[in-house]
């Protein structure tokens, strides 16, 4: 699938992986619509070819409008789900049991939000004209290696990301008849603002645990993988770990 002359939608585009992806897709010739919470858009980088749209992935109307806006300029071909939150809490912590509303919030943003964007983007992509090979578009989701090796305090986050991994194959199967591929990236530890609260010392210890390369991943490496998935017609229904062979320990 070629990017030139298409429209792409990226959620969580004001920061980290989403920002790098929006920039990469725009550099590839796409017209990119970068969605994020209105409160976060002030901090979004100014990038040629990227239009920012305030949208909360937990709000269906926001996403419906953003999809329509993206499709207005050029055929929507790509949707990338990067919006996410990663709070940590133990099931039985010092302050009491896990906040059940927090659990529901994490699942609502990371899992239900991803599914909402996938469904509404797929509906729009399915209405476009297929190319000569029957291709219409690609959806890329973001899970985490926590889907497989959730650490202490990650029950909510790992549940939400496990759901994203789980939806990948059935979504690809459902959408195959429309020429839409669905893949998921499960990153290890990427140097993004999500790690801002982590001390330099802890960051170094995280990097030391990565077999090779012995460092944290860069957002640009994630964005490059998105571009590869978009261009590679035979990648479908798969979750790809991008983690330098890291396997997380319990803590
Ligand atoms: N950074 C890592 O090490 C890492 C590892 C594995 C997975 N991930 C996943 O990658 C994705 C991107 O993370 P990041 O590291 O770039 O984090 P980030 O905090 O830099 O960016 C996430 C963006 O999502 C936005 N967002 C949050 N809730 C939203 C909502 N309801 N609607 C719209 N936008 C919303 C935030 O405002 C923010 O701009 C997340 O899903 C995260 O779980 C990150």
């Amino acid at each position: 699938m070629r990017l030139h002359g298409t429209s792409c939608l990226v959620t969580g585009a004001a920061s980290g992986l989403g920002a790098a992806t929006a920039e990469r897709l725009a550099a590839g010739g796409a017209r990119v619509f970068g969605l994020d919470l209105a409160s976060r858009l002030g901090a979004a980088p100014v990038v040629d070819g990227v239009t920012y749209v305030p949208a909360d992935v937990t709000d269906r109307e926001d996403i419906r409008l953003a999809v329509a806006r993206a499709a207005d300029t050029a055929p929507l071909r790509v949707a990338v789900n990067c919006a996410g939150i990663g709070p940590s809490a133990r099931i039985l912590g010092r302050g009491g049991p896990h906040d059940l509303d927090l659990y529901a919030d994490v699942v609502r943003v990371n899992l239900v939000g991803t599914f909402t964007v996938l469904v509404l983007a797929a509906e729009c992509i399915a209405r476009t004209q297929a190319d000569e090979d029957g291709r219409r578009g690609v959806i890329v989701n973001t899970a985490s290696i926590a889907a497989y090796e959730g650490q202490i305090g990650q029950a909510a986050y790992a549940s939400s990301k496990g759901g994203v991994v789980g939806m990948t194959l059935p979504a690809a199967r459902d959408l195959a008849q429309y020429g839409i591929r669905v893949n998921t990236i499960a990153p290890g530890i990427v140097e993004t603002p999500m790690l801002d609260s982590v001390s330099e010392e802890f960051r170094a210890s995280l990097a030391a645990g990565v077999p090779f390369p012995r460092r944290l991943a860069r957002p640009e490496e994630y964005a490059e993988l998105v571009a590869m998935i978009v261009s590679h017609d035979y990648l479908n229904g798969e979750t790809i770990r991008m983690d330098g062979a890291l396997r997380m320990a319990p803590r």
Side-chain angles (χ1 to χ4, degrees):
M1 172 82 25
R2 282 177 300 274
L3 284 171
H4 203 79
T6 70
S7 167
C8 301
L9 190 142
V10 180
T11 72
S15 170
L17 305 186
T21 301
E23 187 173 349
R24 174 64 184 83
L25 296 176
R31 190 88 186 75
V32 179
F33 290 80
L35 280 52
D36 211 304
L37 299 172
S39 58
R40 298 292 300 269
L41 286 182
V46 178
V47 179
D48 242 13
V50 181
T51 304
Y52 293 98
V53 181
D56 184 330
V57 296
T58 66
D59 185 321
R60 296 170 198 178
E61 256 338 279
D62 276 6
I63 302 305
R64 237 184 265 284
L65 288 171
V67 166
R69 191 164 162 201
D72 213 27
T73 338
L76 182 65
R77 295 276 177 233
V78 176
V80 187
N81 273 300
C82 289
I85 53 175
S88 153
R90 292 191 186 209
I91 291 174
L92 298 177
R94 282 205 193 91
H98 200 294
D99 179 340
L100 297 177
D101 289 333
L102 176 68
Y103 185 90
D105 283 347
V106 174
V107 171
R108 189 160 41 243
V109 174
N110 293 357
L111 178 57
V112 183
T114 295
F115 190 67
T116 301
V117 172
L118 181 147
V119 169
L120 297 178
E123 182 188 26
C124 175
I125 297 170
R127 282 198 302 260
T128 63
Q129 183 78 39
D131 72 7
E132 63 284 4
D133 293 316
R135 298 176 293 196
R136 284 197 175 82
V138 186
I139 295 169
V140 181
N141 301 321
T142 309
S144 162
I145 60 171
Y148 307 103
E149 298 119 38
Q151 295 190 290
I152 285 173
Q154 285 194 310
Y157 185 69
S159 307
S160 68
K161 296 302 189 178
V164 173
V165 171
M167 81 168 70
T168 305
L169 180 62
R173 287 174 163 168
D174 276 4
L175 297 174
Q177 63 177 305
Y178 302 101
I180 301 172
R181 292 183 289 115
V182 182
N183 290 288
T184 292
I185 300 173
I189 312 168
V190 194
E191 191 97 43
T192 72
M194 210 175 232
L195 293 187
D196 274 356
S197 56
V198 168
S199 71
E200 254 329 299
E201 195 187 357
F202 188 56
R203 209 178 279 243
S205 79
L206 288 173
V210 183
F212 190 79
R214 193 155 295 222
R215 60 169 173 80
L216 304 187
R218 300 175 184 125
E220 297 72 31
E221 291 173 317
Y222 170 94
E224 198 50 44
L225 184 51
V226 171
M228 284 169 59
I229 290 170
V230 169
S231 68
H232 199 306
D233 289 339
Y234 215 72
L235 269 181
N236 195 11
E238 186 56 285
T239 298
I240 302 169
R241 292 182 69 124
M242 192 199 79
D243 61 10
L246 174 64
R247 299 294 179 270
M248 299 299 271
R251 68 174 87 228

